[in-house]
Every structure is written in structure tokens, then in C-alpha cells.
Amino acid sequence: MPGRAEGGIATRLASLLALAVIAMALPAQAASKAEVEKMFRAWIDSDLWPAAQKTGVSEKTFRAAMQGVALNWDLPDLVPPGSRPKTEQAQSQAEFSSPGAYFSEKRLQGLAGTGSRLAKTHAATLRRIEQRFGVPGEVVVAVWGRESGFGSAKIPYSAVEVLATKAFMSTRKDMFRKELIAALHIVDGGDRTVAELKGSWAGALGQPQFMPTSFLQYAVDFDGDGVRDIWGSVPDSLASIANYLAKKGWQAGRGWGYEVSIPAGVSCAQEGPDLAKPISAWASSGITRISGKGFPSGEAKASGMMLVPAGTHGPEFIVTPNFYVLKEYNNSDLYALFIGNLADRIAYGSGPFRGAWGDVGKMLRSDVLAMQKALVAKGYDVGKVDGLPGYKTRRSLGDWQAKSGLTPTCYPDASLKAKLR
């Protein structure tokens, strides 16, 4: 019976003992799949159930959900007991190839064409969404298109199986355990059965690709049927995306930003959300919109931030706080720029960014890491020392270049490795 502490303790002790026996019997280097499966079943009782129970998941839901769950060995980034995570990772991030490759014109044109058509099809729903949440319809549709191909992408995985596998043996066990428990709450709340709870290989759910914790916080019933259905309902999916962005701080009446031209006399080392200025101040420094149009008069006193994701080797921008709201959906400058550009295409029929992406994709993560460490030793704040050239690394590099008599580029390149020690 639920709530009987003595039964729960006995079960946990037995499961822990089983885990210990299995662990002692295993070779030091790795366990067989059969042995790991046994450890997984023991972990469900000894670790997962107590954690889920503490958050209010019912035992009936838990047992029904976990009864037939098996490990999915085909998922990436798994670290089975007795093995070690890979230390060498392929440099597959967009920042390490060429940022330009991220903005495939063929893909963007395809998404824009479909997005424009669907924006007209769902115009009434999108108007209601913008009235309620303050997020423009074209932005919502752009996210929808980027995340799931406007709901056309196949989402075949059992979310419970994926999350359970990754909670038991991945490099981010705690995060996935939290998401797994959230998925159990979705089932417990009646929004979805375990069989209906489909997600991606990473556990992201439905058309908006929400992780379970985000579903619980931001999913909404917008079609009035009493169920938050981000799998089959377009109104629920679109409204849930808008609710997410609104709750993350979207400022109604403002766009995401502007592609600009930054004159040579204005340092690229001024970027970042913590160095915001009124749009009028950026304009006064000589920064102009690349379209030739002026900044909207209503934006003059509003805050804007410089963004140079490839330093002086690529397009340059003045972005609004809404740009950083888009990054809440996926913490990548390139992702947010993709959404912004796609939204502009859907709304205005615009095209690609005018500035060309330079060939900046030849740096290894270890090289950037070494540069970061050298900058930190010189007193610079580069943010997280992780080998990723974020805005603090870019602007610190630009500042160091200027002080060293070099022309600031605000982006790591091979020519700087020997100079920055």
C-alpha cells in the first residue's frame, strides 16, 4: 500500500543489496548488457521510485509506467556502468564548422514557404495567440518550423524509455532523472498515457519539442478540449510555444533585432546583453541598418545590444532583449538568429542576411580553450572556460587585440594562437 514507510525501506534495502552484489560480481572494466539491465531494474526501485514518490507521483502510475521499460541501447551519449564517457568529442557544433552552413538557404527558403502558407491557414488562431501572449505569429510559426517541421517530423520514441535510459546511464543523469519524473507527472495528471507520450531521442516532446519540465510549466490547452495536446493539436502547440516565450520575458511590440553595419571606428568588443544601450546611442555611434532604413522612432529609447557571432568575419547585429528570449528555447546565438531570420521571411518576404559568413570554422575546441585560459590569466572575464567562443570570449579577445596593437576581429583564429600566450 502507498505510504507504508516500512515496506518502502525494506524494498529499497533489498534493491541496494542486489545492486551491490551485481556490482561486486562485475569485471572492473565493463558490464554485459544483461548485467546492466539487472542493475537498471534495481535502480528503478532503489533510486527512482523514492525520488518520484517524494514529488507526489502516485505508485499506481509509477508501477504501470515502469513495468515494461527496458534500456534503449541505440541512444547516443550513453555511459553504461563500468565504462567511462568519451573524452574526445567531434567538433560538430556550428561554431566549429562554418556558421554559414547553419543558415542553409535551401532549407530556409523551404521553411519560409511552408511557414508563410501555414501562417495564413492558422491566421485566426495566431491573432488570438498574439492578443493573449504578445508574441508575433511569425515568431511562433518560425519556432514551430525549426523544431518539428511544422509538426511533420516523426517523433517515434517512447519518452519514458528514452528518459529512463538516459537517467540511468548518460553523462547528465541528474537532469534526465528530473525530466523522467516530470514525464511521470504528465501521465499522472492525465494529459497523456505512457504509450502516447512520444518524444525525440533526447526526450523532447511533441511539436514544440518541450522537455517534460517545460510541458508542465508552459503547455496550454488553446483549443478548449480540456487537454494540453502538443502532439496532435496545432492550436495547443502554437499557443504553448508563445506561452513559453512570454513567460521567459518576450517584450510585446518589439522584434528580435536588426542586421547592421558597424563602422571601423566602433569596437566590436562591445557586445553582450550586459552592455545594452539605447538604440539611439548605437545609431549615434555610426551604426546603421544594413537595409538602409532607419531604426524605428519608437525604438530610440529602448535598449539594444551589439551581437557579432563571428566577430568581424560575419553579419553584425543590434538585437533586442527578445533575441535572448529566443535563446531560452535553445541556448545558441545561431539558433536565435535562424529563428529571427525565418520569422522575417515569413512576415515580410525578406531574404538571407546581407553580411557574408567568413571561413572561421577551422579552430579546434582545445585551441579556443587555450586562448580562454590565456585571457583569464591576463585578467579577462571570458565567461565559462569551455572552448566555446561565447560573447564574453569574443569581446575579451577583441579588447586584448586592441591593447596589443592588433586590429580587433573579436573571434579566435589560428593566427592568434602563438600571439596569445
Side-chain angles (χ1 to χ4, degrees), residues 46-89:
S46 65
D47 187 313
L48 183 60
W49 165 237
Q53 185 182 37
K54 285 181 181 178
T55 68
V57 173
S58 71
E59 186 166 11
K60 179 180 178 182
T61 292
F62 182 87
R63 298 301 174 194
M66 303 307 299
Q67 183 177 13
V69 173
L71 293 171
N72 185 335
W73 291 87
D74 294 328
L75 298 175
D77 303 324
L78 300 183
V79 187
S83 64
R84 296 179 179 178
K86 294 179 181 178
T87 55
E88 295 294 329
Q89 295 183 356

Coordinates of all heavy atoms in Angstrom, one line a residue, residues 46-89:
S46 N 15.2 1.2 -6.1 CA 16.0 1.8 -5.0 C 16.3 3.3 -5.1 O 16.4 4.0 -4.1 CB 17.4 1.1 -5.0 OG 18.1 1.3 -6.1
D47 N 16.3 3.8 -6.3 CA 16.6 5.2 -6.6 C 15.5 6.0 -7.1 O 15.0 7.0 -6.6 CB 17.8 5.3 -7.5 CG 18.4 6.7 -7.6 OD1 17.6 7.6 -7.8 OD2 19.6 6.9 -7.6
L48 N 15.0 5.5 -8.3 CA 13.9 6.3 -9.0 C 12.6 6.4 -8.2 O 12.0 7.5 -8.1 CB 13.7 5.7 -10.4 CG 12.7 6.5 -11.3 CD1 13.2 7.9 -11.5 CD2 12.5 5.7 -12.6
W49 N 12.1 5.3 -7.7 CA 10.8 5.3 -7.0 C 10.8 6.2 -5.8 O 9.9 7.1 -5.7 CB 10.4 3.9 -6.7 CG 9.2 3.9 -5.7 CD1 9.2 3.3 -4.5 CD2 8.0 4.6 -5.8 NE1 8.0 3.6 -3.8 CE2 7.2 4.3 -4.6 CE3 7.4 5.4 -6.8 CZ2 5.9 4.9 -4.4 CZ3 6.1 5.9 -6.6 CH2 5.4 5.6 -5.4
P50 N 11.8 6.2 -4.9 CA 11.8 7.1 -3.8 C 11.8 8.6 -4.2 O 11.2 9.4 -3.6 CB 13.1 6.7 -3.0 CG 13.3 5.3 -3.4 CD 12.9 5.2 -4.8
A51 N 12.6 8.9 -5.3 CA 12.7 10.3 -5.8 C 11.4 10.7 -6.3 O 10.9 11.8 -6.1 CB 13.8 10.4 -6.8
A52 N 10.7 9.8 -7.1 CA 9.4 10.2 -7.7 C 8.4 10.3 -6.7 O 7.5 11.2 -6.7 CB 9.0 9.1 -8.8
Q53 N 8.4 9.4 -5.7 CA 7.4 9.4 -4.6 C 7.4 10.7 -3.9 O 6.4 11.3 -3.5 CB 7.6 8.2 -3.7 CG 6.5 8.1 -2.6 CD 6.8 6.9 -1.7 OE1 8.0 6.7 -1.4 NE2 5.8 6.2 -1.3
K54 N 8.6 11.2 -3.6 CA 8.8 12.5 -2.9 C 8.2 13.7 -3.6 O 7.7 14.6 -3.0 CB 10.3 12.8 -2.6 CG 10.9 11.9 -1.6 CD 12.4 12.3 -1.4 CE 13.1 11.5 -0.3 NZ 14.5 11.8 -0.2
T55 N 8.1 13.6 -4.9 CA 7.5 14.7 -5.7 C 6.0 14.5 -5.9 O 5.4 15.4 -6.5 CB 8.2 14.8 -7.1 OG1 7.8 13.7 -7.9 CG2 9.7 14.9 -6.9
G56 N 5.4 13.4 -5.4 CA 4.0 13.3 -5.5 C 3.5 12.4 -6.6 O 2.3 12.3 -6.8
V57 N 4.4 11.7 -7.3 CA 4.0 10.7 -8.3 C 3.3 9.5 -7.6 O 3.8 9.0 -6.6 CB 5.1 10.2 -9.1 CG1 4.7 9.1 -10.1 CG2 5.8 11.3 -9.9
S58 N 2.1 9.1 -8.1 CA 1.4 8.0 -7.4 C 2.1 6.7 -7.7 O 2.7 6.5 -8.8 CB -0.1 8.0 -7.9 OG -0.1 7.5 -9.3
E59 N 2.0 5.7 -6.8 CA 2.6 4.5 -7.0 C 2.0 3.7 -8.2 O 2.6 3.0 -8.9 CB 2.6 3.6 -5.8 CG 3.4 2.3 -5.9 CD 3.7 1.6 -4.6 OE1 3.1 2.0 -3.6 OE2 4.5 0.7 -4.6
K60 N 0.7 3.9 -8.3 CA 0.0 3.2 -9.4 C 0.5 3.7 -10.8 O 0.8 2.8 -11.6 CB -1.5 3.5 -9.3 CG -2.4 2.9 -10.4 CD -3.8 3.2 -10.3 CE -4.6 2.6 -11.4 NZ -6.1 3.0 -11.3
T61 N 0.7 5.0 -10.9 CA 1.2 5.5 -12.2 C 2.7 5.0 -12.4 O 3.1 4.6 -13.5 CB 1.2 7.0 -12.2 OG1 -0.2 7.4 -12.3 CG2 1.9 7.6 -13.4
F62 N 3.5 5.1 -11.3 CA 4.9 4.7 -11.4 C 5.0 3.3 -11.9 O 5.8 3.0 -12.8 CB 5.6 5.0 -10.1 CG 7.0 4.7 -10.1 CD1 7.9 5.6 -10.5 CD2 7.5 3.4 -9.8 CE1 9.3 5.4 -10.5 CE2 8.9 3.1 -9.8 CZ 9.8 4.1 -10.2
R63 N 4.3 2.4 -11.2 CA 4.5 1.0 -11.5 C 4.0 0.6 -12.9 O 4.6 -0.1 -13.6 CB 3.7 0.1 -10.4 CG 4.2 0.3 -9.0 CD 5.7 -0.1 -8.9 NE 6.2 0.2 -7.5 CZ 7.5 0.2 -7.2 NH1 8.4 0.0 -8.1 NH2 7.8 0.5 -5.9
A64 N 2.9 1.2 -13.3 CA 2.4 1.0 -14.6 C 3.3 1.5 -15.7 O 3.5 0.9 -16.7 CB 1.0 1.6 -14.8
A65 N 3.9 2.7 -15.4 CA 4.8 3.3 -16.4 C 6.1 2.6 -16.5 O 6.6 2.4 -17.7 CB 5.1 4.8 -16.0
M66 N 6.6 2.1 -15.4 CA 8.0 1.5 -15.5 C 8.0 0.0 -15.6 O 9.1 -0.6 -15.8 CB 8.7 1.8 -14.2 CG 8.8 3.3 -13.9 SD 9.5 4.3 -15.3 CE 11.2 3.6 -15.4
Q67 N 6.8 -0.6 -15.6 CA 6.8 -2.1 -15.6 C 7.5 -2.7 -16.8 O 8.3 -3.7 -16.7 CB 5.3 -2.6 -15.6 CG 5.1 -4.1 -15.6 CD 3.7 -4.5 -15.5 OE1 2.8 -3.7 -15.7 NE2 3.4 -5.7 -15.1
G68 N 7.2 -2.2 -18.0 CA 7.8 -2.8 -19.2 C 9.0 -2.1 -19.8 O 9.4 -2.4 -20.9
V69 N 9.5 -1.1 -19.1 CA 10.5 -0.2 -19.7 C 11.9 -1.0 -19.7 O 12.3 -1.6 -18.7 CB 10.7 1.1 -18.9 CG1 11.9 1.9 -19.3 CG2 9.4 1.9 -19.0
A70 N 12.5 -0.9 -20.8 CA 13.8 -1.5 -21.0 C 14.8 -0.4 -21.5 O 14.4 0.6 -22.0 CB 13.8 -2.7 -22.0
L71 N 16.1 -0.7 -21.3 CA 17.1 0.3 -21.7 C 17.1 0.3 -23.3 O 17.1 -0.7 -23.9 CB 18.5 -0.1 -21.2 CG 18.7 0.0 -19.7 CD1 20.0 -0.6 -19.3 CD2 18.6 1.5 -19.2
N72 N 17.3 1.5 -23.8 CA 17.4 1.7 -25.3 C 18.9 1.9 -25.6 O 19.4 3.0 -25.4 CB 16.6 2.9 -25.8 CG 16.6 3.0 -27.3 OD1 17.5 2.5 -27.9 ND2 15.6 3.6 -27.8
W73 N 19.5 0.8 -26.0 CA 21.0 0.9 -26.2 C 21.4 1.6 -27.5 O 22.6 1.8 -27.7 CB 21.5 -0.6 -26.3 CG 21.4 -1.3 -24.9 CD1 20.4 -1.9 -24.4 CD2 22.5 -1.3 -23.9 NE1 20.7 -2.4 -23.1 CE2 21.9 -2.0 -22.8 CE3 23.7 -0.7 -23.8 CZ2 22.7 -2.2 -21.6 CZ3 24.5 -1.0 -22.7 CH2 23.9 -1.7 -21.6
D74 N 20.4 2.0 -28.3 CA 20.7 2.7 -29.5 C 20.9 4.2 -29.4 O 21.2 4.9 -30.3 CB 19.7 2.4 -30.6 CG 19.6 0.9 -31.0 OD1 20.7 0.3 -31.0 OD2 18.5 0.4 -31.3
L75 N 20.6 4.7 -28.2 CA 20.6 6.1 -28.0 C 22.1 6.6 -27.9 O 23.0 5.9 -27.4 CB 19.9 6.5 -26.7 CG 18.4 6.2 -26.7 CD1 17.8 6.5 -25.3 CD2 17.7 7.0 -27.7
P76 N 22.4 7.8 -28.3 CA 23.8 8.4 -28.2 C 24.1 8.8 -26.8 O 23.2 9.0 -25.9 CB 23.7 9.6 -29.1 CG 22.3 10.0 -29.1 CD 21.5 8.8 -29.0
D77 N 25.4 9.0 -26.5 CA 25.9 9.5 -25.3 C 25.6 8.7 -24.1 O 25.4 9.3 -23.0 CB 25.4 11.0 -25.1 CG 25.8 11.9 -26.3 OD1 26.8 11.7 -26.8 OD2 24.9 12.7 -26.6
L78 N 25.6 7.4 -24.2 CA 25.3 6.5 -23.1 C 26.7 6.1 -22.4 O 27.7 6.0 -23.1 CB 24.6 5.3 -23.5 CG 23.2 5.5 -24.1 CD1 22.6 4.1 -24.4 CD2 22.3 6.3 -23.2
V79 N 26.6 6.0 -21.1 CA 27.8 5.6 -20.3 C 27.4 4.5 -19.4 O 27.0 4.7 -18.2 CB 28.3 6.8 -19.4 CG1 29.6 6.4 -18.8 CG2 28.5 8.1 -20.3
P80 N 27.4 3.3 -19.9 CA 27.0 2.1 -19.1 C 27.9 2.0 -17.8 O 29.0 2.4 -17.9 CB 27.1 0.9 -20.0 CG 27.1 1.5 -21.4 CD 27.7 2.9 -21.3
P81 N 27.3 1.4 -16.8 CA 28.2 1.1 -15.6 C 29.4 0.4 -15.9 O 29.4 -0.6 -16.7 CB 27.2 0.3 -14.7 CG 25.9 0.7 -15.1 CD 26.0 0.9 -16.6
G82 N 30.6 0.8 -15.4 CA 31.8 0.2 -15.6 C 32.6 0.8 -16.8 O 33.7 0.5 -17.0
S83 N 31.9 1.7 -17.5 CA 32.6 2.4 -18.7 C 32.8 3.8 -18.3 O 32.3 4.4 -17.3 CB 31.8 2.2 -19.9 OG 30.5 2.9 -19.8
R84 N 33.5 4.5 -19.2 CA 33.8 5.9 -19.0 C 33.3 6.7 -20.2 O 33.3 6.2 -21.3 CB 35.3 6.2 -18.8 CG 35.9 5.5 -17.6 CD 37.4 5.8 -17.5 NE 38.0 5.2 -16.4 CZ 39.3 5.2 -16.1 NH1 40.2 5.8 -16.9 NH2 39.8 4.6 -15.0
P85 N 32.9 8.0 -19.9 CA 32.4 8.8 -21.0 C 33.6 9.1 -22.0 O 34.8 9.1 -21.6 CB 31.9 10.1 -20.4 CG 32.6 10.1 -19.0 CD 32.8 8.7 -18.6
K86 N 33.3 9.3 -23.2 CA 34.3 9.6 -24.2 C 34.9 10.9 -23.9 O 34.2 11.9 -23.6 CB 33.7 9.6 -25.6 CG 33.2 8.3 -26.1 CD 32.6 8.4 -27.5 CE 32.0 7.1 -28.0 NZ 31.4 7.2 -29.3
T87 N 36.2 11.0 -23.9 CA 36.9 12.2 -23.7 C 37.1 13.1 -24.9 O 37.2 14.3 -24.9 CB 38.3 12.0 -23.0 OG1 39.0 11.1 -23.9 CG2 38.1 11.3 -21.7
E88 N 37.2 12.4 -26.1 CA 37.4 13.1 -27.3 C 36.0 13.2 -28.0 O 35.4 12.2 -28.3 CB 38.3 12.3 -28.3 CG 39.7 12.2 -27.7 CD 40.4 13.6 -27.7 OE1 40.1 14.4 -28.5 OE2 41.3 13.7 -26.8
Q89 N 35.6 14.4 -28.2 CA 34.3 14.7 -28.9 C 34.5 15.3 -30.2 O 35.4 16.2 -30.4 CB 33.4 15.6 -28.0 CG 33.1 14.9 -26.7 CD 32.1 15.8 -25.9 OE1 31.8 16.9 -26.3 NE2 31.7 15.3 -24.7

